Amino acid sequence: MKVKVVGSIKGTDEQAEHKIARRVKWLIAFFLICLWGMMALRGVVLYHAHRDSSAQLLRQMSAAIEDQTRNQFRLVEMFLMAADKGLVQATELNELFSNSFFQKFRKETGLFIDIYAVDLEGRLYNITSAEQEALTFVHDREYFDRFPTTNIRIFPPVKSRVSDNWIIPIILPLSSPHNKIRMLLIALKVDALADLYEQQRPKPNGSVALFRDDGILLMQTPGGHTKAFGKNYSKNIEKLFQDQKDATVFLSNSIFDNTAQLTSYKPLKAFPLSIMVSVAHRDIMEKFWKDLGVLIAWTVIATATILLTGKQHIRLLAEQTILNSEIFRIATIDALTGVLNRRRFIEIMEHEFSRSRRYGNPLSLLMFDLDYFKQVNDTYGHQMGDKILVAFANTVAENLRTVDFFARFGGEEFVVLLPQTPIGAAKLLAERICKKIGQMQISVEQGKISFSTSIGVAAIQPTDMKPEEMIHRADKSLYEAKSNGRNQVGPLD
């Protein structure tokens, strides 16, 4: 069945519902974009928070390690200075080995150090032991050939010939060499110092390194390779500070293995030493990814909830659209023929009438009445009458434009509103339709029946104030067509 189903001039309810559905989708999309944008922003803030927290913790660790290291070297310095004055009182060499001052000092340092005396020939004596025999010769050591004249000096790590362990030699030449003793040697145990730093370093992949002020590496933990001991890293350290200016904590690549890390590098006051404490960047990122994972999980849950809620809402809107469309169809469409009903046609005509008057556009009206339709119903029954009405509506609809409005006005009466159509063109259309209707035949048990229609024509006039005036003239034209024998178009008004 092909019929002219025309929507509301103000827009159908179905169009409005689709528009709302689109708005809901755009609103959901906008909200999700904002949600994930906020998540991304929160992720950036979270990263900086983790980095700042790690930097603050690194500063605290660095300060603690710095104080601990300073105290260790200050204790060594105090001992050496006191020993320099105390040794001159020893009249014999064996008095050095029975000096309780040395033994007491070594115990107070937690056995981190060994105390030796070196004579003019380079013999090494352990002055905290009762043994008076030389342990080994150190005349070829750097600290023996290049020892300071008066001040304490820290030398690069060496492997001890006594214990076979790595030590950091700290040398003090005696101000007044006595009993052939040339210098005092403090052997700071690298392993013991590394154990101390191991307790303080950032876990799990942080590191602590001790440098001399000229960039010589004295020790590193963890994983400090002995091949790196004594290596000069001054250029590497200088490169670290090229873009850092006055920053005390900064993100850089490790000078040892080039991995990313957060680094604190601080010189020790009063000592020619520097402490480098580092937090592995992967440790910061591991904590960050855990927290970000939780944030993403909550965002995904929120997204899923929004999408499910939005889908449910859109489904309800779709159901409402279908329901409203059906209500609209029932309220505006003739149930039998599928064309507009009288109430809807009147609404449309009022609108088109007002627009025609406002802009001076032509507007015509056709009014149809099926000839002898009551006799058809009485002879063949209402079912056949309905079949004829549907066939009539289809034939008329096939000859109309998409801008025309076709409606069942009541019973066997139909009307067509023709916007932008002068009365002459309207009459030509009416005559063509009248001819086609007259040629139609409907099959019945008794054979075939024909039927015809009478058509009234009217057009808007400048004096018209209401649509009813057009309808009245079209009805008058229809009446004259029926009076003149039916199956024709009535005279023009």
Side-chain angles (χ1 to χ4, degrees):
M1 181 188 298
K2 183 177 178 181
V3 294
K4 297 292 288 183
V5 180
V6 184
S8 171
I9 297 301
K10 298 179 181 179
T12 64
D13 291 342
E14 182 178 355
Q15 292 173 331
E17 293 294 344
H18 282 305
K19 188 174 181 180
I20 292 174
R22 287 194 299 270
R23 287 181 178 178
V24 170
K25 291 179 180 178
W26 278 110
L27 182 62
I28 291 174
F30 175 75
F31 187 80
L32 290 178
I33 291 172
C34 291
L35 177 65
W36 282 95
M38 291 175 63
M39 191 282 296
L41 180 61
R42 176 59 182 164
V44 173
V45 173
L46 187 64
Y47 169 74
H48 285 286
H50 276 280
R51 181 171 165 177
D52 292 343
S53 175
S54 297
Q56 181 63 28
L57 182 61
L58 186 61
R59 291 187 185 95
Q60 295 173 359
M61 289 183 174
S62 180
I65 293 173
E66 179 187 355
D67 289 341
Q68 199 171 44
T69 304
R70 185 185 297 109
N71 291 337
Q72 291 291 334
F73 279 89
R74 182 177 289 118
L75 190 62
V76 171
E77 181 185 46
M78 292 173 60
F79 163 74
L80 288 175
M81 299 302 293
D84 183 27
K85 296 179 181 179
L87 284 176
V88 297
Q89 300 175 6
T91 58
E92 299 294 336
L93 183 61
N94 59 2
E95 293 183 27
L96 293 174
F97 301 95
S98 61
N99 195 316
S100 61
F101 172 75
F102 298 133
Q103 297 175 1
K104 181 179 180 181
F105 170 77
R106 186 169 183 269
K107 290 180 180 180
E108 289 181 352
T109 60
L111 304 180
F112 278 21
I113 64 172
D114 287 324
I115 307 170
Y116 300 97
V118 181
D119 66 12
L120 296 175
E121 302 297 328
R123 297 182 183 87
L124 184 73
Y125 298 93
N126 186 347
I127 60 177
T128 60
S129 173
E131 293 289 337
Q132 299 182 21
E133 297 294 329
L135 301 176
T136 186
F137 279 90
V138 293
H139 60 277
D140 57 339
R141 294 291 198 187
E142 179 185 3
Y143 55 77
F144 187 80
D145 291 333
R146 299 172 57 186
F147 67 91
T149 55
T150 56
N151 297 326
I152 296 173
R153 186 172 178 185
I154 303 171
F155 282 84
V158 295
K159 197 169 186 180
S160 172
R161 291 171 178 169
V162 177
S163 64
D164 202 35
N165 294 323
W166 283 89
I167 63 169
I168 299 174
I170 304 175
I171 302 299
L172 175 67
L174 296 182
S175 56
S176 301
H178 191 62
N179 293 321
K180 298 182 180 182
I181 298 301
R182 187 180 189 186
M183 67 181 70
L184 288 177
L185 167 63
I186 297 294
L188 183 60
K189 298 178 181 179
V190 171
D191 289 345
L193 190 59
D195 290 340
L196 180 65
Y197 287 161
E198 181 66 21
Q199 300 173 14
Q200 298 288 338
R201 74 175 179 89
K203 301 296 190 302
N205 298 301
S207 64
V208 179
L210 178 65
F211 293 89
R212 212 165 62 177
D213 57 358
D214 58 358
I216 298 295
L217 177 65
L218 299 181
M219 65 79 55
Q220 178 205 6
T221 184
H225 299 293
T226 55
K227 290 182 179 180
F229 290 169
K231 183 178 178 180
N232 193 325
Y233 286 92
S234 57
K235 292 183 179 179
N236 306 72
I237 295 172
E238 182 181 353
K239 186 178 180 181
L240 285 179
F241 284 92
Q242 284 180 352
D243 301 323
Q244 305 305 328
K245 297 182 180 180
D246 297 330
T248 57
V249 174
F250 47 86
L251 189 64
S252 66
N253 289 333
S254 171
I255 64 175
F256 302 110
D257 56 14
N258 206 38
T259 58
Q261 61 184 18
L262 199 63
T263 301
S264 170
Y265 184 86
K266 293 182 64 178
L268 265 67
K269 296 178 181 178
F271 291 99
L273 300 170
S274 297
I275 294 288
M276 178 183 287
V277 185
S278 303
V279 176
H281 189 257
R282 64 177 181 270
D283 291 345
I284 300 174
M285 293 304 296
E286 183 177 353
K287 296 177 182 177
F288 163 72
W289 284 120
K290 287 181 180 179
D291 290 347
L292 184 63
V294 174
L295 180 61
I296 291 176
W298 280 111
T299 306
V300 169
I301 292 173
T303 300
T305 302
I306 292 170
L307 290 176
L308 289 175
T309 304
K311 183 178 180 180
Q312 180 72 7
H313 187 64
I314 292 174
R315 185 182 65 80
L316 292 175
L317 281 177
E319 293 177 355
Q320 186 66 35
T321 298
I322 295 173
L323 179 60
N324 289 345
S325 178
E326 182 63 18
I327 293 173
F328 178 79
R329 189 190 68 79
I330 294 173
T332 60
I333 304 300
D334 178 62
L336 175 64
T337 61
V339 300
L340 298 174
N341 60 21
R342 180 181 183 123
R343 184 185 67 82
R344 181 60 176 160
F345 180 82
I346 294 300
E347 291 178 354
I348 294 173
M349 187 172 181
E350 288 177 350
H351 178 84
E352 292 295 329
F353 181 85
S354 299
R355 186 165 64 173
S356 180
R357 280 177 49 83
R358 185 182 306 115
Y359 299 108
N361 297 328
L363 179 67
S364 297
L365 176 66
L366 304 182
M367 182 171 286
F368 301 81
D369 185 82
L370 291 177
D371 298 333
Y372 304 110
F373 184 72
K374 186 176 183 302
Q375 294 179 11
V376 173
N377 276 337
D378 293 342
T379 305
Y380 300 101
H382 288 282
Q383 186 175 0
M384 178 55 64
D386 290 345
K387 188 175 183 180
I388 290 174
L389 289 175
V390 171
F392 168 80
N394 287 336
T395 301
V396 175
E398 290 172 355
N399 290 273
L400 299 180
R401 304 168 300 177
T402 57
V403 296
D404 299 333
F405 300 95
F406 183 26
R408 185 179 181 184
F409 214 55
E412 68 274 14
E413 291 187 353
F414 293 81
V415 288
V416 174
L417 188 64
L418 304 169
Q420 302 288 338
T421 305
I423 194 168
K427 184 174 182 181
L428 290 176
L429 174 63
E431 290 174 347
R432 183 169 69 249
I433 293 175
C434 184
K435 182 178 180 180
K436 287 188 176 183
I437 296 298
Q439 296 173 348
M440 292 181 63
Q441 289 185 334
I442 303 295
S443 298
V444 295
E445 293 180 0
Q446 296 84 351
K448 293 185 178 181
I449 62 172
S450 301
F451 59 94
S452 63
T453 182
S454 300
I455 307 173
V457 184
I460 190 171
Q461 296 181 358
T463 57
D464 289 342
M465 301 302 295
K466 297 179 179 180
E468 287 79 4
E469 297 178 62
M470 281 185 66
I471 295 174
H472 176 71
R473 289 197 299 275
D475 186 61
K476 183 178 178 182
S477 176
L478 174 62
Y479 177 77
E480 293 186 15
K482 294 175 74 67
S483 299
N484 292 334
R486 295 179 171 83
N487 193 25
Q488 60 182 284
V489 179
L492 304 181
D493 56 351

